[in-house]
Amino acid sequence: KAGVTQTPRYLIKTRGQQVTLSCSPISGHRSVSWYQQTPGQGLQFLFEYFSETQRNKGNFPGRFSGRQFSNSRSEMNVSTLELGDSALYLCASSPLGGVPNNEQFFGPGTRLTVL
Amino acid sequence: SQQGEEDPQALSIQEGENATMNCSYKTSINNLQWYRQNSGRGLVHLILIRSNEREKHSGRLRVTLDTSKKSSSLLITASRAADTASYFCAPLGGSNYKLTFGKGTLLTVNP
């Protein structure tokens, strides 16, 4: 099976712009979670989608949003980018119920740099 | 959700040696997962051990879990340079919906 894919892999934006990141989970996986990883804050949970519904949400401002399509592919959008949004954005997929009973399969991440 | 605390924070060994890292947590769990992250292969799930298991093996990896002490250990035998990475544990209870990592153990395997 193909692994989790994320596009683009690298992105450079300027403050105030918006960005959309894409994630394709492993075939058959219905749960997709998004994480932000920075050296200072470590891994932080953004949100989880399951069957096109946002099931859980982390403590991020409303500028961060996401959605999931019927084929389980997911996108996340960040509007009005700030310098502090520079990070590695990771997508993880999991079969059926996701965390806590299943391992998470991570994509390679999208490295976002905001100038 | 709770996060695990990995110990030591850094570990440097020679190729062929064994590496042991530990994880402690605070509240009861359903399972505990170990992950590895390096620049080459990203964040990868290594092993999941359930709360009713005491030991689990996967290739060169051996994980133990002591729920009475709320601790787990990851042993990597016959280490290789490619094992150089940060290792994270994620203790998970029934209401968890997200992974929360601590600072991890940075393992350096010198050739």
Side-chain angles (χ1 to χ4, degrees):
Chain A
K1 275 186 180 176
V4 178
T5 57
Q6 291 186 247
T7 56
R9 293 291 311 277
Y10 302 91
L11 206 48
I12 299 175
K13 292 285 189 179
T14 55
R15 278 180 299 177
Q17 287 187 309
Q18 76 164 22
V19 66
T20 299
L21 312 182
S22 180
C23 170
S24 291
I26 291 173
S27 177
H29 286 192
R30 294 167 63 186
S31 168
V32 174
S33 297
W34 288 90
Y35 291 84
Q36 180 197 67
Q37 189 177 36
T38 59
Q41 300 294 321
L43 194 75
Q44 292 192 287
F45 174 79
L46 282 153
F47 26 66
E48 184 213 0
Y49 286 87
F50 185 84
S51 292
E52 301 179 67
T53 300
Q54 186 181 87
R55 190 159 66 169
N56 293 293
K57 189 175 190 305
N59 296 323
F60 278 79
R63 300 185 297 105
F64 292 80
S65 63
R67 60 179 175 167
Q68 187 181 33
F69 302 95
S70 58
N71 62 358
S72 291
R73 189 176 72 84
S74 178
E75 289 182 347
M76 67 163 280
N77 184 77
V78 188
S79 61
T80 320
L81 283 166
E82 300 177 0
L83 295 179
D85 297 333
S86 294
L88 180 67
Y89 289 88
L90 293 163
C91 163
S93 79
S94 184
L96 300 175
V99 177
N101 295 314
N102 297 285
E103 62 205 75
Q104 302 282 292
F105 294 84
F106 283 87
T110 293
R111 173 74 63 185
L112 172 64
T113 302
V114 182
L115 302 175
Chain B
S1 62
Q2 67 174 321
Q3 71 181 42
E5 288 189 21
E6 296 89 357
D7 176 71
Q9 288 193 18
L11 183 58
S12 181
I13 60 174
Q14 296 299 123
E15 218 168 17
E17 293 180 338
N18 296 342
T20 300
M21 51 205 87
N22 304 296
C23 168
S24 60
Y25 57 92
K26 291 188 167 61
T27 63
S28 62
I29 60 171
N30 280 0
N31 67 69
L32 187 141
Q33 302 180 26
W34 284 90
Y35 287 80
R36 177 186 68 205
Q37 186 173 34
N38 60 27
S39 57
R41 299 197 62 187
L43 190 55
V44 175
H45 176 270
L46 294 176
I47 198 163
L48 182 156
I49 185 165
R50 301 196 187 282
S51 60
N52 60 354
E53 297 175 309
R54 291 296 165 257
E55 188 171 310
K56 200 162 181 180
H57 295 254
S58 176
R60 293 183 297 112
L61 306 179
R62 173 179 167 251
V63 168
T64 62
L65 179 64
D66 187 336
T67 53
S68 67
K69 295 181 179 177
K70 293 187 171 56
S71 68
S72 174
S73 68
L74 170 67
L75 168 68
I76 304 173
T77 60
S79 63
R80 304 166 182 168
D83 295 327
T84 294
S86 289
Y87 291 80
F88 302 94
C89 69
L92 293 161
S95 62
N96 281 142
Y97 54 82
K98 59 182 179 180
L99 291 174
T100 305
F101 288 164
K103 295 187 186 303
T105 292
L106 176 59
L107 173 66
T108 303
V109 181
N110 302 298

Coordinates of all heavy atoms in Angstrom, one line a residue, chain B residues 25-102:
Chain B
Y25 N 5.0 8.0 32.6 CA 3.7 8.7 32.4 C 3.0 8.7 33.7 O 3.4 8.1 34.7 CB 2.9 8.0 31.3 CG 2.6 6.5 31.5 CD1 1.4 6.1 32.2 CD2 3.5 5.5 31.1 CE1 1.1 4.8 32.4 CE2 3.2 4.2 31.4 CZ 2.0 3.8 32.0 OH 1.8 2.5 32.2
K26 N 1.8 9.4 33.7 CA 1.2 9.7 35.0 C -0.1 9.0 35.3 O -0.5 8.6 36.4 CB 1.0 11.2 35.2 CG 2.2 12.0 35.3 CD 2.0 13.5 35.6 CE 3.2 14.2 36.1 NZ 4.2 14.2 35.1
T27 N -1.0 8.8 34.2 CA -2.3 8.2 34.5 C -2.5 6.9 33.7 O -1.6 6.6 32.8 CB -3.4 9.2 34.1 OG1 -3.3 9.5 32.7 CG2 -3.2 10.5 34.8
S28 N -3.5 6.2 34.0 CA -3.7 4.9 33.4 C -3.9 5.0 31.9 O -4.3 6.0 31.4 CB -4.9 4.2 34.0 OG -6.1 5.0 33.7
I29 N -3.5 3.9 31.2 CA -3.5 3.9 29.8 C -4.2 2.7 29.2 O -4.4 1.7 29.8 CB -2.0 3.9 29.2 CG1 -1.2 2.7 29.7 CG2 -1.3 5.2 29.6 CD1 0.1 2.5 29.1
N30 N -4.6 2.9 27.9 CA -5.0 1.7 27.1 C -3.8 1.1 26.4 O -3.7 -0.2 26.3 CB -6.0 2.2 26.0 CG -7.4 2.4 26.5 OD1 -7.6 2.2 27.7 ND2 -8.3 2.8 25.7
N31 N -2.9 1.9 25.9 CA -1.7 1.4 25.2 C -0.7 2.5 25.2 O -0.9 3.6 25.6 CB -2.1 0.9 23.8 CG -2.4 2.1 22.9 OD1 -1.6 2.9 22.5 ND2 -3.7 2.1 22.5
L32 N 0.5 2.1 24.9 CA 1.6 3.0 24.8 C 2.3 2.8 23.4 O 2.5 1.6 23.1 CB 2.6 2.9 25.9 CG 3.7 3.9 26.0 CD1 4.0 4.2 27.5 CD2 5.0 3.4 25.4
Q33 N 2.6 3.9 22.7 CA 3.2 3.7 21.4 C 4.5 4.4 21.4 O 4.7 5.4 22.1 CB 2.2 4.4 20.4 CG 0.8 3.8 20.3 CD -0.1 4.4 19.3 OE1 0.4 4.9 18.3 NE2 -1.4 4.3 19.6
W34 N 5.4 3.8 20.6 CA 6.7 4.5 20.4 C 6.9 4.9 19.0 O 6.5 4.1 18.0 CB 7.9 3.5 20.8 CG 8.1 3.3 22.2 CD1 7.5 2.4 23.0 CD2 9.0 4.0 23.1 NE1 8.0 2.5 24.3 CE2 8.9 3.5 24.4 CE3 9.9 5.1 22.8 CZ2 9.6 4.0 25.4 CZ3 10.6 5.6 23.9 CH2 10.5 5.0 25.2
Y35 N 7.4 6.1 18.8 CA 7.7 6.6 17.4 C 9.1 7.1 17.3 O 9.8 7.4 18.3 CB 6.7 7.8 17.2 CG 5.3 7.5 17.0 CD1 4.5 7.2 18.1 CD2 4.8 7.4 15.7 CE1 3.1 6.9 17.9 CE2 3.4 7.1 15.5 CZ 2.6 6.8 16.6 OH 1.3 6.5 16.4
R36 N 9.6 7.1 16.1 CA 10.9 7.6 15.8 C 10.8 8.6 14.7 O 10.0 8.6 13.8 CB 11.7 6.4 15.2 CG 13.2 6.8 14.8 CD 13.8 5.6 14.1 NE 13.2 5.3 12.9 CZ 13.2 4.1 12.3 NH1 13.8 3.1 12.9 NH2 12.6 3.9 11.1
Q37 N 11.7 9.6 14.9 CA 11.7 10.7 13.9 C 13.1 11.0 13.5 O 13.9 11.3 14.4 CB 11.0 12.0 14.4 CG 10.9 13.0 13.3 CD 10.0 14.2 13.8 OE1 10.0 14.6 14.9 NE2 9.3 14.8 12.9
N38 N 13.4 11.0 12.2 CA 14.7 11.5 11.7 C 14.4 12.2 10.4 O 13.3 12.2 9.8 CB 15.7 10.4 11.6 CG 15.3 9.3 10.6 OD1 14.5 9.5 9.7 ND2 15.8 8.1 10.8
S39 N 15.4 12.9 9.9 CA 15.2 13.8 8.8 C 15.0 13.0 7.5 O 14.3 13.4 6.6 CB 16.4 14.7 8.6 OG 17.6 14.0 8.5
G40 N 15.5 11.7 7.5 CA 15.4 10.9 6.3 C 14.0 10.3 6.1 O 13.5 10.3 5.0
R41 N 13.5 9.8 7.2 CA 12.2 9.0 7.0 C 11.0 9.6 7.8 O 10.0 9.0 7.9 CB 12.5 7.5 7.5 CG 13.5 6.8 6.7 CD 13.5 5.3 6.9 NE 12.2 4.8 6.4 CZ 11.8 3.5 6.6 NH1 12.6 2.7 7.2 NH2 10.7 3.1 6.2
G42 N 11.2 10.8 8.3 CA 10.1 11.4 9.0 C 9.7 10.7 10.3 O 10.5 10.1 10.9
L43 N 8.4 10.9 10.6 CA 7.9 10.4 11.9 C 7.3 9.0 11.6 O 6.3 8.9 10.8 CB 6.9 11.4 12.4 CG 6.4 11.2 13.8 CD1 7.5 11.1 14.8 CD2 5.4 12.3 14.2
V44 N 7.8 8.0 12.3 CA 7.4 6.6 12.0 C 7.0 5.9 13.2 O 7.7 6.0 14.3 CB 8.6 5.9 11.3 CG1 8.2 4.4 11.1 CG2 8.9 6.5 10.0
H45 N 5.8 5.2 13.1 CA 5.4 4.4 14.3 C 6.3 3.2 14.4 O 6.5 2.5 13.4 CB 3.9 4.0 14.0 CG 3.4 3.1 15.1 ND1 3.5 1.7 15.0 CD2 2.8 3.3 16.3 CE1 2.9 1.2 16.0 NE2 2.5 2.1 16.8
L46 N 6.7 2.9 15.6 CA 7.6 1.7 15.8 C 6.8 0.5 16.3 O 6.9 -0.6 15.8 CB 8.8 2.0 16.7 CG 9.8 3.1 16.2 CD1 10.8 3.4 17.3 CD2 10.5 2.6 15.0
I47 N 6.1 0.7 17.4 CA 5.5 -0.4 18.1 C 4.4 0.1 19.0 O 4.5 1.2 19.6 CB 6.6 -1.2 18.9 CG1 6.1 -2.6 19.2 CG2 7.1 -0.4 20.1 CD1 7.3 -3.5 19.6
L48 N 3.4 -0.7 19.2 CA 2.3 -0.4 20.1 C 2.2 -1.5 21.1 O 2.2 -2.7 20.7 CB 1.0 -0.3 19.4 CG -0.3 0.1 20.1 CD1 -1.3 0.7 19.1 CD2 -1.0 -1.1 20.7
I49 N 2.2 -1.2 22.4 CA 2.0 -2.2 23.4 C 0.8 -1.9 24.2 O 0.6 -0.8 24.7 CB 3.3 -2.3 24.3 CG1 3.2 -3.5 25.3 CG2 3.6 -1.0 25.0 CD1 4.5 -3.9 26.0
R50 N -0.1 -2.9 24.4 CA -1.3 -2.7 25.1 C -1.1 -2.8 26.6 O -0.2 -3.4 27.1 CB -2.4 -3.6 24.6 CG -2.6 -3.5 23.1 CD -3.9 -4.1 22.6 NE -3.9 -4.1 21.1 CZ -4.3 -3.0 20.4 NH1 -4.6 -1.9 21.0 NH2 -4.3 -3.1 19.1
S51 N -2.0 -2.3 27.4 CA -1.9 -2.2 28.8 C -1.8 -3.6 29.5 O -1.3 -3.7 30.6 CB -3.0 -1.4 29.4 OG -4.2 -1.9 29.2
N52 N -2.4 -4.6 28.8 CA -2.4 -5.9 29.4 C -1.2 -6.8 28.9 O -1.1 -8.0 29.2 CB -3.7 -6.7 29.1 CG -3.9 -6.8 27.6 OD1 -3.1 -6.3 26.7 ND2 -4.9 -7.6 27.2
E53 N -0.3 -6.1 28.2 CA 1.0 -6.8 27.7 C 2.1 -6.3 28.5 O 2.2 -5.1 28.9 CB 1.2 -6.5 26.2 CG 0.1 -7.0 25.3 CD 0.3 -6.6 23.9 OE1 0.5 -5.4 23.6 OE2 0.2 -7.5 23.0
R54 N 3.1 -7.2 28.7 CA 4.3 -6.8 29.5 C 5.5 -6.6 28.6 O 6.4 -5.8 29.0 CB 4.6 -7.8 30.6 CG 3.5 -7.9 31.7 CD 3.5 -6.6 32.5 NE 2.3 -6.4 33.3 CZ 1.3 -5.7 32.9 NH1 1.3 -5.0 31.8 NH2 0.2 -5.6 33.7
E55 N 5.5 -7.3 27.5 CA 6.7 -7.2 26.6 C 6.3 -7.5 25.2 O 5.3 -8.2 25.0 CB 7.7 -8.2 27.1 CG 9.1 -8.1 26.4 CD 10.1 -9.1 27.0 OE1 10.2 -9.0 28.3 OE2 10.8 -9.8 26.3
K56 N 7.0 -6.8 24.3 CA 6.6 -7.0 22.9 C 7.9 -6.8 22.1 O 8.8 -6.0 22.4 CB 5.6 -6.0 22.4 CG 4.8 -6.4 21.2 CD 3.6 -5.6 21.1 CE 2.8 -6.0 19.8 NZ 1.5 -5.3 19.7
H57 N 8.0 -7.6 21.0 CA 9.2 -7.6 20.2 C 8.8 -7.2 18.8 O 7.8 -7.6 18.3 CB 9.9 -8.9 20.2 CG 10.5 -9.3 21.5 ND1 11.8 -9.3 21.8 CD2 9.8 -9.7 22.6 CE1 12.0 -9.7 23.1 NE2 10.8 -10.0 23.6
S58 N 9.7 -6.5 18.1 CA 9.6 -6.3 16.7 C 10.9 -6.1 16.1 O 11.6 -5.1 16.3 CB 8.7 -5.0 16.4 OG 8.6 -4.7 15.0
G59 N 11.4 -7.1 15.4 CA 12.8 -7.1 14.9 C 13.8 -6.9 15.9 O 13.9 -7.6 16.9
R60 N 14.6 -5.8 15.8 CA 15.6 -5.5 16.8 C 15.1 -4.7 18.0 O 15.8 -4.2 18.9 CB 16.8 -4.7 16.1 CG 17.5 -5.6 15.1 CD 18.7 -4.8 14.5 NE 18.3 -3.6 13.8 CZ 18.5 -2.4 14.2 NH1 19.1 -2.1 15.3 NH2 18.1 -1.4 13.4
L61 N 13.8 -4.4 18.0 CA 13.2 -3.6 19.1 C 12.5 -4.5 20.1 O 11.9 -5.5 19.8 CB 12.1 -2.7 18.5 CG 12.5 -1.8 17.4 CD1 11.3 -1.0 16.9 CD2 13.6 -0.9 17.8
R62 N 12.7 -4.1 21.4 CA 12.0 -4.8 22.5 C 11.4 -3.7 23.4 O 12.2 -2.9 23.8 CB 13.0 -5.7 23.2 CG 12.4 -6.3 24.5 CD 13.4 -7.2 25.2 NE 12.9 -7.6 26.6 CZ 13.5 -7.1 27.7 NH1 14.5 -6.3 27.6 NH2 13.1 -7.4 28.8
V63 N 10.1 -3.8 23.6 CA 9.5 -2.8 24.4 C 8.9 -3.6 25.7 O 8.4 -4.7 25.5 CB 8.3 -2.1 23.7 CG1 7.5 -1.4 24.7 CG2 8.9 -1.2 22.6
T64 N 9.1 -3.0 26.8 CA 8.5 -3.5 28.0 C 7.5 -2.4 28.6 O 7.7 -1.2 28.3 CB 9.5 -3.9 29.1 OG1 10.3 -2.7 29.4 CG2 10.5 -4.9 28.5
L65 N 6.6 -2.9 29.3 CA 5.6 -2.0 30.0 C 5.3 -2.5 31.4 O 5.0 -3.6 31.6 CB 4.3 -2.0 29.2 CG 3.2 -1.1 29.7 CD1 3.6 0.4 29.7 CD2 1.9 -1.3 28.9
D66 N 5.5 -1.6 32.3 CA 5.2 -1.9 33.7 C 4.1 -0.9 34.2 O 4.4 0.3 34.5 CB 6.4 -1.7 34.6 CG 6.2 -2.2 36.0 OD1 5.1 -2.1 36.5 OD2 7.2 -2.5 36.7
T67 N 2.9 -1.3 34.1 CA 1.8 -0.4 34.5 C 1.8 0.0 35.9 O 1.3 1.1 36.3 CB 0.4 -0.9 34.0 OG1 0.3 -2.2 34.6 CG2 0.3 -1.0 32.5
S68 N 2.3 -0.9 36.8 CA 2.4 -0.5 38.2 C 3.3 0.6 38.5 O 3.1 1.4 39.4 CB 2.8 -1.7 39.0 OG 4.1 -2.1 38.8
K69 N 4.4 0.7 37.7 CA 5.3 1.8 37.8 C 5.1 2.9 36.8 O 5.8 3.9 36.8 CB 6.8 1.3 37.6 CG 7.2 0.3 38.7 CD 8.6 -0.1 38.5 CE 9.1 -1.1 39.6 NZ 10.5 -1.6 39.3
K70 N 4.1 2.7 36.0 CA 3.8 3.7 34.9 C 5.0 4.0 34.1 O 5.4 5.2 34.0 CB 3.1 5.0 35.5 CG 1.7 4.7 36.1 CD 1.1 6.0 36.6 CE -0.4 5.7 36.9 NZ -0.6 4.7 38.0
S71 N 5.6 3.0 33.6 CA 6.8 3.2 32.8 C 7.0 2.2 31.7 O 6.4 1.1 31.8 CB 8.1 3.2 33.7 OG 8.2 1.9 34.2
S72 N 7.7 2.6 30.7 CA 8.0 1.7 29.6 C 9.4 1.9 29.2 O 10.0 2.9 29.4 CB 7.1 2.0 28.4 OG 7.4 1.3 27.3
S73 N 10.0 0.9 28.6 CA 11.4 1.0 28.0 C 11.4 0.5 26.6 O 10.7 -0.5 26.3 CB 12.4 0.3 28.9 OG 12.2 -1.1 28.8
L74 N 12.3 1.1 25.8 CA 12.5 0.6 24.5 C 14.0 0.2 24.3 O 14.8 1.1 24.6 CB 12.2 1.8 23.5 CG 12.6 1.6 22.0 CD1 11.8 0.4 21.4 CD2 12.4 2.8 21.2
L75 N 14.2 -1.0 23.9 CA 15.6 -1.5 23.7 C 15.8 -1.7 22.3 O 15.0 -2.4 21.6 CB 15.8 -2.8 24.5 CG 17.0 -3.6 24.2 CD1 18.3 -2.8 24.6 CD2 17.0 -5.0 24.8
I76 N 16.8 -1.1 21.7 CA 17.2 -1.4 20.4 C 18.5 -2.2 20.4 O 19.5 -1.7 21.0 CB 17.5 -0.1 19.6 CG1 16.2 0.8 19.6 CG2 17.9 -0.3 18.1 CD1 16.5 2.2 19.0
T77 N 18.5 -3.4 19.9 CA 19.7 -4.2 19.9 C 20.5 -4.0 18.6 O 20.0 -3.7 17.6 CB 19.4 -5.7 20.1 OG1 18.5 -6.1 19.0 CG2 18.6 -5.9 21.4
A78 N 21.8 -4.3 18.8 CA 22.7 -4.2 17.6 C 22.5 -3.0 16.8 O 22.2 -3.1 15.6 CB 22.6 -5.5 16.8
S79 N 22.6 -1.8 17.4 CA 22.3 -0.6 16.8 C 23.1 -0.3 15.5 O 24.2 -0.8 15.3 CB 22.4 0.6 17.7 OG 23.8 0.7 18.1
R80 N 22.5 0.5 14.6 CA 23.1 0.8 13.3 C 23.1 2.4 13.2 O 22.3 3.0 13.9 CB 22.3 0.2 12.2 CG 22.1 -1.2 12.2 CD 21.0 -1.7 11.3 NE 20.8 -3.2 11.4 CZ 19.8 -3.8 10.8 NH1 18.9 -3.1 10.1 NH2 19.7 -5.1 10.9
A81 N 23.9 2.9 12.4 CA 23.9 4.3 12.2 C 22.5 4.9 11.8 O 22.2 6.0 12.1 CB 25.0 4.7 11.1
A82 N 21.8 4.0 11.0 CA 20.5 4.4 10.6 C 19.5 4.6 11.7 O 18.4 5.1 11.5 CB 20.0 3.4 9.5
D83 N 19.8 4.1 12.9 CA 18.9 4.2 14.0 C 19.0 5.6 14.7 O 18.3 5.9 15.6 CB 19.2 3.2 15.1 CG 19.0 1.7 14.6 OD1 18.0 1.5 13.8 OD2 19.7 0.8 15.1
T84 N 20.0 6.4 14.2 CA 20.1 7.7 14.7 C 18.8 8.5 14.5 O 18.4 8.7 13.3 CB 21.3 8.5 14.0 OG1 22.5 7.8 14.4 CG2 21.4 9.9 14.4
A85 N 18.2 9.0 15.5 CA 16.9 9.6 15.4 C 16.5 10.1 16.8 O 17.1 9.8 17.8 CB 15.9 8.6 14.9
S86 N 15.4 10.8 16.8 CA 14.7 11.1 18.1 C 13.6 10.1 18.3 O 12.9 9.7 17.4 CB 14.1 12.5 18.1 OG 15.1 13.5 18.1
Y87 N 13.5 9.6 19.5 CA 12.5 8.6 19.9 C 11.5 9.2 20.9 O 11.9 9.8 21.9 CB 13.2 7.4 20.4 CG 14.0 6.6 19.4 CD1 15.2 7.1 19.0 CD2 13.4 5.5 18.7 CE1 16.0 6.4 18.0 CE2 14.2 4.8 17.8 CZ 15.4 5.3 17.4 OH 16.1 4.7 16.4
F88 N 10.2 9.0 20.6 CA 9.1 9.5 21.4 C 8.2 8.4 21.9 O 7.9 7.5 21.1 CB 8.3 10.5 20.6 CG 9.1 11.7 20.1 CD1 9.6 11.6 18.8 CD2 9.3 12.8 20.8 CE1 10.3 12.7 18.3 CE2 10.0 13.9 20.3 CZ 10.5 13.8 19.0
C89 N 7.7 8.5 23.1 CA 6.7 7.6 23.5 C 5.4 8.4 23.7 O 5.3 9.6 23.9 CB 7.0 7.0 24.9 SG 7.0 8.1 26.3
A90 N 4.3 7.7 23.4 CA 2.9 8.3 23.5 C 2.0 7.4 24.3 O 1.5 6.4 23.8 CB 2.4 8.5 22.1
P91 N 1.8 7.7 25.6 CA 0.9 6.9 26.4 C -0.5 7.3 26.1 O -0.8 8.5 26.1 CB 1.3 7.3 27.9 CG 2.0 8.6 27.8 CD 2.5 8.8 26.4
L92 N -1.4 6.4 25.9 CA -2.8 6.8 25.4 C -3.8 6.1 26.3 O -3.9 4.9 26.4 CB -2.9 6.4 24.0 CG -2.0 7.2 23.1 CD1 -1.9 6.6 21.7 CD2 -2.7 8.6 22.9
G93 N -4.8 6.9 26.8 CA -5.9 6.4 27.5 C -7.1 6.4 26.7 O -7.1 6.8 25.5
G94 N -8.2 5.9 27.2 CA -9.5 5.7 26.5 C -10.0 7.0 25.9 O -10.7 6.9 24.8
S95 N -9.8 8.1 26.4 CA -10.4 9.4 25.9 C -9.5 10.1 25.0 O -9.8 11.2 24.5 CB -10.9 10.2 27.1 OG -9.8 10.6 27.9
N96 N -8.3 9.6 24.8 CA -7.3 10.3 24.0 C -7.7 10.3 22.5 O -8.1 9.3 22.0 CB -5.9 9.7 24.1 CG -5.2 10.1 25.4 OD1 -4.5 9.3 26.0 ND2 -5.4 11.4 25.8
Y97 N -7.6 11.4 21.9 CA -7.8 11.5 20.5 C -6.6 12.0 19.7 O -6.7 12.3 18.5 CB -9.0 12.3 20.1 CG -9.0 13.7 20.8 CD1 -8.3 14.7 20.1 CD2 -9.7 13.9 21.9 CE1 -8.3 16.0 20.7 CE2 -9.7 15.2 22.5 CZ -9.0 16.2 21.9 OH -8.9 17.5 22.4
K98 N -5.6 12.3 20.4 CA -4.4 12.9 19.8 C -3.1 12.4 20.4 O -3.1 11.9 21.6 CB -4.4 14.4 20.0 CG -4.4 14.9 21.4 CD -4.5 16.4 21.5 CE -4.5 16.8 23.0 NZ -4.6 18.3 23.1
L99 N -2.1 12.4 19.7 CA -0.8 12.1 20.2 C -0.1 13.3 20.8 O -0.3 14.4 20.3 CB 0.2 11.6 19.1 CG -0.2 10.3 18.4 CD1 0.7 10.0 17.2 CD2 -0.1 9.1 19.4
T100 N 0.5 13.1 22.0 CA 1.2 14.2 22.6 C 2.6 13.7 22.9 O 2.7 12.7 23.7 CB 0.5 14.7 23.9 OG1 -0.9 15.0 23.6 CG2 1.2 15.9 24.5
F101 N 3.6 14.3 22.4 CA 5.0 13.9 22.6 C 5.7 14.7 23.6 O 5.4 15.9 23.7 CB 5.7 13.9 21.3 CG 5.4 12.9 20.3 CD1 5.8 13.0 18.9 CD2 4.7 11.7 20.6 CE1 5.4 12.0 18.0 CE2 4.3 10.8 19.7 CZ 4.7 10.9 18.4
G102 N 6.6 14.1 24.3 CA 7.5 14.9 25.1 C 8.7 15.4 24.3 O 8.6 15.5 23.1

